[in-house]
Amino acid sequence: MTLPSQAFQDDSLDFKELKFFPDLPKRYKIDSVFKFASWAAVVIALSVLSILLIEVAIDGLSMINWQFLTSYPSRKPADAGILSPIVGTIWVMVLVALFSFPIGVGAGIFLEEFIADSFLENVIEVNIANLAAVPSIIYGLLGLQVFVRWLFPLTQGRTIISGALTLTLLVLPIIIIATREALRAVPGSMRQAGFALGATRWQVVRDIVFPQALPGILTGTILALSRGIGETAPLITIGALTYVAFLPPLSLEGLHSTFSVLPIQIFNWVSRPQQEFHLLAAGAIIVLMVLLLAMNGIAIYLRNRFQITR
Amino acid sequence: MVFNIQPKQKVFLTSLAVVSLIATACAGNQTTTSQGTGNSASPAATTAPSNLSGSVLIDGSSTVFPISEAMAEEFQKANPNVKVTVGSSGTGGGFKKFCNDETDITGASRPIKPSEVELCKKNNIEYIELPVAFDGLTVVVNPKNEFAKCLTVPELKKMWEPAAQGKIKSWNQIRSDFPDQPLGLYGAGTDSGTYDYFTAAIVGKEGESRGDFTASEDDNVLVQGVASDVNGLAFFGFAYYVQNKEKVRAVAIDGGNGCVEPSAETISNGTYQPLSRPEFIYVKKKSLERPEVEAMAKFYINPANANLISEVGYVPLPADIEQRVAVRIAERKTGSVFEGKGSTTGVKLKDLL
C-alpha cells in the first residue's frame, strides 16, 4: 500500500493522478471486524486461563490450611504439606534476585550505554538473544557440570546455592534484554543534555538514564524471576531433591543445604497413583500462584513508586 | 526533576547494592569455612531419642521413590538428627550419580546394567544390591472390554514386538476369536525402567518394541488413555492399577502355567510371571561404614516396616527373603546377583540370593 504522503514526495509520480476514495462505511466495517477479532482473542485467552484456574481452585482450595502449609511432605496424603518446598522456593528466589539483578542490569547498562553500536555489542547481542531461547533443561545440564561438580568446593554439590546460580543463568538473558529495552526507551536528547552540561558518561548513566529506566528494569526483572520460580527441569537436572523434611538453617550454612522447590513437589504429586496426591498438587499450585502474584504485585508497587517520585 | 535521583531512591538503590554485595561476599566466605567437610551435618543434640546424626543421600528410580519417601519419613521420626533426603532422577540417572560418588543409596526398578557396572568400577564404587519390594507390571484394558480376560506372553509379544509396527492394528490379529476392533496401545516412556523390564519380559530384548504406541512417563496419563479408549491396552505398575480399579480392568497373564491375575499374593510368591519384578536399592559400601547409612539400609528391609511398603502400593518381600537380604548387609556382599545383565525376568529372587 502506498501512503499518499509518500507518493507526494516521490517526483516520478504525479500526485494528481492518485485518487483517494474516502469509502468510510467500508473502512469502519473493517475497523469493527478487527475490533471483534481482538476481543475474541482476549476472551479466548482469558477463558482458557479461567477454566484452568477454576479447575485448580475447585480441586485445591479445600486442601489449603495451616497444616498443609506447615508440614513436611509425607507418604500419607492427610499428613502431607509443603513447608520445605515453600521455604526452598523462597530461598532460591531471593538468591536468584540478589545474583541476577546486579549482574543483569550491569551487563545491560554496559551494552546499551558504553559499547552501543560496536562490533562487540552486536556479537554479544546475538548471543544473548540466543541464550534467552535455550530450553531450560540445557541450563540444568550446564549447572550440574559447572556448579554441582566443578565448583563442588564452593557449592557443596546439589545445594541451594547451586540451584540459585543455575536459575540465575536462566533468567540473566531475559533481565539483560529487559534492561536494554528500558534504557533504549529513554530519549537520546536527555543523554545529550547531560553531556552538554559537561557530565561524564558514567554520570549521565547514573543520574539521568538509569533513574528514568528503573521502573522498566524492575518490571522486566520481576517478570524474569517469575519465570524462574516455575522452573522444574533445570532443578531436577542439577539434583534438587523431592523429599526433604528439614529446613535450611537461617544462616550462611543454609546456602549449602539440600533443598526442594514447589514445582518439583507438584510434579511428584501429580505423577503419584493416589487421587489424594493429585488434590494436594492442586493446592500446591495455588500456593505457587499466590507467590507469583505477590512477586508481580511487588513489581507493580516498585514501578509506581519510582514513577511517582520522578 | 529528571536529572537527579531523589534521596529516597538513592537510599533504596544503595541498600540494594549493599545487600547484593554482602550476599556475594558471604557466598565467597562460605567456601573457606566449610571446604572439605563433605556433609553439612549440624552438631548433634544430646537430647534426641537416638544418637545417630549425619545425612543420608538417596536418589534413583521414580518407581522406588514412594518406598524411599515412606522409609525416610519414618526413619527421621525415629532418628531426628539424621537428615535423609530423597530425589527421583530415574533409575539410569540415579546410577550415574551413584557411580559418580554423589549419593549413598540409589533406588532402581531393574538390576544394574553392564554399562553402569563399568562406570562404578571406573570410579571405585563398590555397592551392595538389596531387593526391597516387589512390583507387578499390570496389563490393563478398558472395563467395557469383555473379551480380553487373559493374554499369553506370545500374544503380548505379537502386540508389542518391533515387527508389529504398522501391521498389528486390530484385536482379531492377536487371537482369531477376538472382535475386529482397532487396537489402542499405551505404554511407559522408553526412558523408564518399567519400559526396559516390560520389553525384556515380553519381547525378549530389553528396550525393543514397536514405536507406534502412545508413550508417557506419567502413568496417570496411561490410565486416562485406557479409561477413555474402549479398545485400549496399557501396562504400568501395580500401584496405579490398585488406585484405578474402577477405571481399568487388569488382564490375567499366562506365562506358560495358566492364567494368573495380578494381586499382592501372586506377585509376592512369584506365580505372577513374567511381569512380577523386584525393586532394588543399591547401597554404597563405603557409605555403609557410616552408622546412619547402615541403619537406613537396615530400616528398608526390617520386617516391622513391611507395612510401609504395602501402604504406598507395593508388595513387601516375604520374610524368608528379607532375612537373606539382611545377611547381605551384614556380610557386606558386593556386586549384583544378576551379574550386571540388566533386566532379568522369570527368575525367583529366592533362588538367586
Side-chain angles (χ1 to χ4, degrees):
Chain A
M1 198 174 84
T2 325
L3 291 173
S5 62
Q6 276 172 344
F8 185 73
Q9 285 162 355
D10 197 335
D11 292 335
S12 66
L13 276 173
D14 187 357
F15 79 95
K16 280 177 190 165
E17 278 182 20
L18 273 175
K19 282 163 190 156
F20 180 65
F21 302 110
D23 186 359
L24 274 181
K26 193 182 166 195
R27 285 161 65 202
Y28 280 133
K29 205 185 240 169
I30 294 175
D31 236 29
S32 58
V33 166
F34 185 75
K35 195 174 164 189
F36 176 77
S38 307
W39 265 108
V42 171
V43 168
I44 290 170
L46 285 184
S47 56
V48 168
L49 180 69
S50 52
I51 288 170
L52 275 173
L53 288 183
I54 290 167
E55 190 158 317
V56 167
I58 290 172
D59 283 351
L61 269 184
S62 59
M63 290 293 140
I64 298 177
N65 51 39
W66 190 242
Q67 187 259 337
F68 180 67
L69 296 176
T70 54
S71 312
Y72 293 112
S74 164
R75 68 179 186 287
K76 292 184 193 143
D79 297 347
I82 51 169
L83 181 60
S84 45
I86 290 186
V87 174
T89 292
I90 293 172
W91 263 93
V92 169
M93 285 333 288
V94 169
L95 286 175
V96 169
L98 288 180
F99 292 146
S100 61
F101 186 77
I103 301 175
V105 173
I109 290 176
F110 178 69
L111 289 174
E112 195 59 36
E113 300 294 329
F114 287 86
I115 60 158
D117 300 325
S118 65
F119 174 71
L120 181 64
E121 191 236 346
N122 285 331
V123 172
I124 297 177
E125 177 167 19
V126 169
N127 277 298
I128 288 177
N130 280 336
L131 281 177
V134 166
S136 58
I137 193 154
I138 307 289
Y139 285 99
L141 293 170
L142 180 74
L144 177 66
Q145 196 56 43
V146 175
F147 299 129
V148 176
R149 297 201 171 142
W150 289 349
L151 294 181
F152 182 83
L154 247 157
T155 61
Q156 298 295 312
R158 330 140 115 202
T159 51
I160 288 181
I161 189 151
S162 300
L165 287 170
T166 307
L167 286 185
T168 300
L169 288 187
L170 179 80
V171 300
L172 261 183
I174 311 173
I175 294 183
I176 294 173
I177 291 171
T179 304
R180 299 189 57 184
E181 291 297 332
L183 292 172
R184 227 171 272 169
V186 178
S189 54
M190 291 205 168
R191 294 184 184 85
Q192 285 162 358
F195 292 134
L197 289 171
T200 62
R201 192 166 276 275
W202 164 237
Q203 284 169 329
V204 169
V205 169
R206 190 189 62 189
D207 295 334
I208 301 173
V209 183
F210 185 66
Q212 278 282 310
L214 191 58
I217 292 175
L218 285 175
T219 314
T221 305
I222 299 284
L223 287 179
L225 292 178
S226 307
R227 179 186 168 190
I229 199 176
E231 280 296 343
T232 330
L235 292 178
I236 287 190
T237 320
I238 67 151
L241 298 152
T242 315
Y243 176 78
V244 178
F246 53 83
L247 297 181
L250 260 184
S251 64
L252 286 180
E253 219 166 281
L255 293 177
H256 286 170
S257 174
T258 44
F259 70 107
S260 181
V261 291
L262 278 170
I264 292 184
Q265 188 63 54
I266 293 167
F267 177 69
N268 173 255
W269 275 340
V270 165
S271 66
R272 297 293 274 270
Q274 291 86 353
Q275 181 66 31
E276 295 89 334
F277 280 120
H278 303 169
L279 298 179
L280 289 178
I285 288 171
I286 295 176
V287 173
L288 181 63
M289 217 152 56
V290 169
L291 278 180
L292 203 75
L293 287 177
M295 277 175 63
N296 284 320
I298 294 172
I300 293 167
Y301 167 75
L302 287 176
R303 192 179 59 202
N304 291 345
R305 181 193 147 116
F306 284 111
Q307 271 169 347
I308 288 163
T309 48
R310 202 166 62 206
Chain B
M1 270 328 226
V2 251
F3 294 95
N4 269 313
I5 299 190
Q6 299 285 311
K8 238 184 187 176
Q9 244 172 318
K10 218 167 200 168
V11 169
F12 175 79
L13 289 172
T14 330
S15 56
L16 201 73
V18 168
V19 166
S20 47
L21 273 179
I22 289 174
T24 2
C26 292
N29 261 346
Q30 191 69 357
T31 329
T32 46
T33 49
S34 64
Q35 199 163 15
T37 42
N39 61 50
S40 51
S42 55
T46 43
T47 49
S50 108
N51 53 6
L52 285 176
S53 65
S55 62
V56 184
L57 293 174
I58 306 174
D59 205 328
S61 167
S62 50
T63 315
V64 186
F65 176 82
I67 301 176
S68 294
E69 186 192 45
M71 294 292 171
E73 189 182 353
E74 291 304 315
F75 185 79
Q76 286 202 127
K77 274 184 196 157
N79 306 280
N81 288 323
V82 183
K83 291 177 171 177
V84 186
T85 53
V86 189
S88 58
S89 42
T91 303
F95 272 123
K96 280 202 189 86
K97 287 177 181 148
F98 182 73
C99 294
N100 205 16
D101 207 5
E102 290 171 19
T103 52
D104 299 316
I105 297 175
T106 194
S109 60
R110 55 161 170 75
I112 189 165
K113 277 184 188 175
S115 58
E116 292 155 353
V117 173
E118 277 303 305
L119 186 64
C120 272
K121 203 183 254 173
K122 209 178 81 192
N123 295 324
N124 281 323
I125 304 293
E126 286 191 287
Y127 50 85
I128 295 165
E129 177 185 62
L130 305 172
V132 290
F134 282 115
D135 186 18
L137 285 188
T138 309
V139 177
V140 299
V141 292
N142 189 282
K144 287 196 187 116
N145 179 330
E146 298 287 338
F147 47 91
K149 300 276 184 209
C150 175
L151 290 168
T152 67
V153 172
E155 281 168 349
L156 283 170
K157 183 179 177 184
K158 208 171 175 186
M159 254 180 234
W160 286 96
E161 66 187 349
Q165 178 149 350
K167 286 186 190 137
I168 307 294
K169 288 174 172 169
S170 161
W171 277 96
N172 66 358
Q173 286 171 289
I174 306 299
R175 200 187 289 173
S176 50
D177 58 358
F178 283 169
D180 183 9
Q181 282 167 358
L183 178 64
L185 292 175
Y186 301 81
T190 52
D191 281 340
S192 62
T194 308
Y195 173 82
D196 286 348
Y197 189 88
F198 185 82
T199 48
I202 298 299
V203 179
K205 270 194 176 170
E206 185 171 331
E208 284 195 12
S209 78
R210 67 193 297 172
D212 54 347
F213 66 96
T214 310
S216 173
E217 298 290 346
D218 184 352
D219 291 348
N220 291 311
V221 173
L222 303 178
V223 171
Q224 291 295 330
V226 173
S228 55
D229 179 356
V230 185
N231 299 305
L233 178 140
F235 64 87
F236 42 68
F238 185 61
Y240 289 85
Y241 162 64
V242 173
Q243 292 293 329
N244 294 288
K245 274 184 172 167
E246 75 287 359
K247 288 186 197 156
V248 293
R249 180 172 63 77
V251 176
I253 302 297
D254 183 352
N257 299 314
C259 294
V260 182
E261 292 262 358
S263 71
E265 199 193 348
T266 56
I267 291 168
S268 155
N269 66 19
T271 50
Y272 181 68
Q273 288 291 2
L275 291 180
S276 155
R277 61 168 179 173
E279 304 290 344
F280 302 91
I281 56 167
Y282 285 76
V283 187
K284 196 162 73 190
K285 193 184 172 194
K286 203 174 70 192
S287 302
L288 266 185
E289 285 160 17
R290 306 209 313 263
E292 69 272 17
V293 178
E294 187 177 9
M296 184 73 220
K298 285 182 174 162
F299 201 82
Y300 267 97
I301 51 159
N302 189 341
N305 298 326
N307 62 320
L308 298 181
I309 291 175
S310 17
E311 211 174 291
V312 293
Y314 293 85
V315 181
L317 300 179
D320 55 334
I321 294 188
E322 256 174 358
Q323 275 167 17
R324 284 172 210 231
V325 175
V327 170
R328 288 175 74 83
I329 300 185
E331 291 177 352
R332 302 282 195 269
K333 202 164 169 17
T334 56
S336 165
V337 290
F338 300 90
E339 293 157 342
K341 277 185 269 182
S343 300
T344 319
T345 58
V347 286
K348 289 195 178 170
L349 209 48
K350 208 169 159 182
D351 306 333
L352 285 172
L353 290 170

Coordinates of all heavy atoms in Angstrom, one line a residue, chain B residues 84-115:
Chain B
V84 N 17.6 -37.1 56.1 CA 17.5 -38.0 54.9 C 16.8 -37.3 53.8 O 15.8 -36.7 54.0 CB 16.7 -39.3 55.3 CG1 16.7 -40.3 54.1 CG2 17.2 -40.0 56.5
T85 N 17.5 -37.3 52.6 CA 16.8 -36.6 51.5 C 16.7 -37.6 50.4 O 17.5 -38.5 50.2 CB 17.7 -35.4 51.0 OG1 19.0 -35.9 50.7 CG2 17.8 -34.3 52.0
V86 N 15.6 -37.5 49.7 CA 15.3 -38.4 48.6 C 15.0 -37.6 47.3 O 14.2 -36.7 47.3 CB 14.0 -39.3 48.9 CG1 13.9 -40.4 47.9 CG2 14.1 -39.8 50.3
G87 N 15.7 -38.0 46.2 CA 15.5 -37.4 44.9 C 14.8 -38.5 44.0 O 14.7 -39.7 44.4
S88 N 14.4 -38.1 42.9 CA 13.8 -39.1 41.9 C 14.3 -38.7 40.5 O 13.6 -38.2 39.8 CB 12.3 -39.2 42.0 OG 11.7 -38.0 41.8
S89 N 15.5 -39.1 40.2 CA 16.0 -38.7 38.9 C 16.0 -39.9 37.9 O 16.6 -39.9 36.9 CB 17.4 -38.1 39.0 OG 18.2 -38.8 39.9
G90 N 15.3 -41.0 38.3 CA 15.1 -42.1 37.4 C 16.2 -43.2 37.7 O 17.3 -42.8 38.2
T91 N 16.0 -44.4 37.3 CA 16.9 -45.5 37.6 C 18.3 -45.2 36.9 O 19.3 -45.2 37.6 CB 16.4 -46.8 37.0 OG1 15.1 -47.1 37.6 CG2 17.4 -47.9 37.4
G92 N 18.3 -44.8 35.6 CA 19.5 -44.5 34.9 C 20.2 -43.3 35.5 O 21.4 -43.4 35.8
G93 N 19.5 -42.2 35.6 CA 20.1 -41.0 36.2 C 20.6 -41.2 37.6 O 21.6 -40.7 38.0
G94 N 19.9 -42.0 38.4 CA 20.3 -42.3 39.7 C 21.6 -43.1 39.7 O 22.5 -42.7 40.5
F95 N 21.8 -44.1 38.8 CA 23.1 -44.8 38.8 C 24.2 -43.9 38.4 O 25.3 -44.0 38.9 CB 23.0 -46.0 37.8 CG 22.5 -47.2 38.5 CD1 21.3 -47.9 38.0 CD2 23.1 -47.8 39.6 CE1 20.8 -49.0 38.7 CE2 22.6 -48.9 40.3 CZ 21.5 -49.5 39.8
K96 N 23.9 -43.0 37.5 CA 25.0 -42.0 37.0 C 25.5 -41.3 38.2 O 26.7 -41.1 38.4 CB 24.5 -41.1 36.0 CG 24.4 -41.7 34.6 CD 24.4 -40.6 33.5 CE 24.1 -41.3 32.2 NZ 22.7 -41.4 31.9
K97 N 24.6 -40.8 39.1 CA 25.1 -40.0 40.3 C 25.7 -40.9 41.3 O 26.7 -40.6 41.9 CB 23.9 -39.3 40.9 CG 23.4 -38.1 40.1 CD 22.2 -37.5 40.6 CE 21.8 -36.3 39.8 NZ 20.3 -36.1 39.8
F98 N 25.1 -42.1 41.4 CA 25.6 -43.1 42.4 C 27.0 -43.5 42.1 O 27.9 -43.5 42.9 CB 24.7 -44.3 42.4 CG 25.0 -45.4 43.4 CD1 24.8 -45.2 44.8 CD2 25.6 -46.6 43.0 CE1 25.1 -46.2 45.7 CE2 25.9 -47.6 43.9 CZ 25.6 -47.4 45.3
C99 N 27.3 -43.9 40.8 CA 28.6 -44.3 40.4 C 29.6 -43.1 40.3 O 30.8 -43.3 40.1 CB 28.5 -45.0 39.1 SG 27.6 -46.6 39.2
N100 N 29.1 -41.9 40.4 CA 29.9 -40.7 40.4 C 30.2 -40.3 41.9 O 30.6 -39.2 42.1 CB 29.3 -39.6 39.6 CG 30.3 -38.6 39.1 OD1 31.5 -38.9 39.0 ND2 29.8 -37.5 38.6
D101 N 29.9 -41.1 42.8 CA 30.1 -40.9 44.2 C 29.3 -39.7 44.8 O 29.8 -39.0 45.6 CB 31.6 -40.6 44.5 CG 32.1 -41.0 45.9 OD1 31.2 -41.5 46.6 OD2 33.2 -40.8 46.2
E102 N 28.1 -39.5 44.3 CA 27.4 -38.3 44.7 C 26.2 -38.7 45.7 O 25.6 -37.8 46.3 CB 26.8 -37.6 43.5 CG 27.9 -36.9 42.7 CD 27.4 -36.3 41.4 OE1 26.2 -36.1 41.3 OE2 28.2 -36.0 40.5
T103 N 25.9 -40.0 45.7 CA 24.8 -40.4 46.6 C 25.2 -41.6 47.4 O 26.1 -42.3 47.1 CB 23.5 -40.7 45.8 OG1 23.8 -41.7 44.8 CG2 22.9 -39.5 45.1
D104 N 24.4 -41.9 48.5 CA 24.7 -43.0 49.4 C 23.9 -44.3 48.9 O 24.4 -45.4 49.0 CB 24.4 -42.7 50.8 CG 25.2 -41.6 51.3 OD1 26.4 -41.6 51.1 OD2 24.7 -40.7 52.0
I105 N 22.7 -44.0 48.6 CA 21.8 -45.1 48.2 C 21.0 -44.7 47.0 O 20.7 -43.5 46.8 CB 20.7 -45.3 49.4 CG1 21.4 -45.8 50.7 CG2 19.7 -46.3 48.9 CD1 20.5 -45.9 51.8
T106 N 20.9 -45.6 46.0 CA 20.1 -45.3 44.8 C 19.1 -46.3 44.6 O 19.3 -47.5 44.8 CB 21.0 -45.1 43.6 OG1 20.3 -44.5 42.6 CG2 21.6 -46.4 43.1
G107 N 17.9 -45.9 44.3 CA 16.8 -46.8 44.0 C 16.8 -47.3 42.5 O 17.2 -46.5 41.7
A108 N 16.4 -48.5 42.3 CA 16.4 -49.0 40.9 C 15.2 -49.9 40.7 O 14.9 -50.7 41.5 CB 17.7 -49.7 40.6
S109 N 14.6 -49.7 39.5 CA 13.4 -50.6 39.2 C 13.9 -51.7 38.3 O 13.0 -52.5 37.8 CB 12.3 -49.8 38.6 OG 12.7 -49.2 37.4
R110 N 15.2 -51.9 38.1 CA 15.7 -53.0 37.4 C 17.1 -53.2 37.9 O 17.7 -52.3 38.5 CB 15.8 -52.8 35.9 CG 16.5 -51.5 35.6 CD 17.0 -51.4 34.1 NE 17.5 -50.1 33.8 CZ 18.6 -49.6 34.3 NH1 19.4 -50.4 35.0 NH2 19.0 -48.4 33.9
P111 N 17.7 -54.4 37.7 CA 19.1 -54.6 38.2 C 20.1 -53.7 37.4 O 19.7 -53.3 36.3 CB 19.4 -56.1 38.0 CG 18.0 -56.7 37.8 CD 17.1 -55.7 37.2
I112 N 21.2 -53.5 38.0 CA 22.2 -52.6 37.4 C 22.6 -53.2 36.0 O 22.7 -54.4 35.8 CB 23.4 -52.4 38.3 CG1 24.4 -51.4 37.8 CG2 24.1 -53.8 38.6 CD1 25.4 -50.9 38.9
K113 N 22.9 -52.3 35.0 CA 23.3 -52.7 33.7 C 24.8 -52.8 33.5 O 25.5 -52.1 34.3 CB 22.8 -51.6 32.7 CG 21.4 -51.7 32.2 CD 21.1 -50.6 31.2 CE 19.7 -50.5 30.8 NZ 19.4 -49.4 29.9
P114 N 25.3 -53.5 32.5 CA 26.7 -53.7 32.3 C 27.4 -52.3 32.2 O 28.5 -52.1 32.8 CB 26.9 -54.4 31.0 CG 25.6 -55.1 30.8 CD 24.5 -54.3 31.5
S115 N 26.8 -51.4 31.5 CA 27.5 -50.1 31.3 C 27.6 -49.4 32.7 O 28.6 -48.7 33.0 CB 26.7 -49.2 30.4 OG 25.4 -49.0 30.8

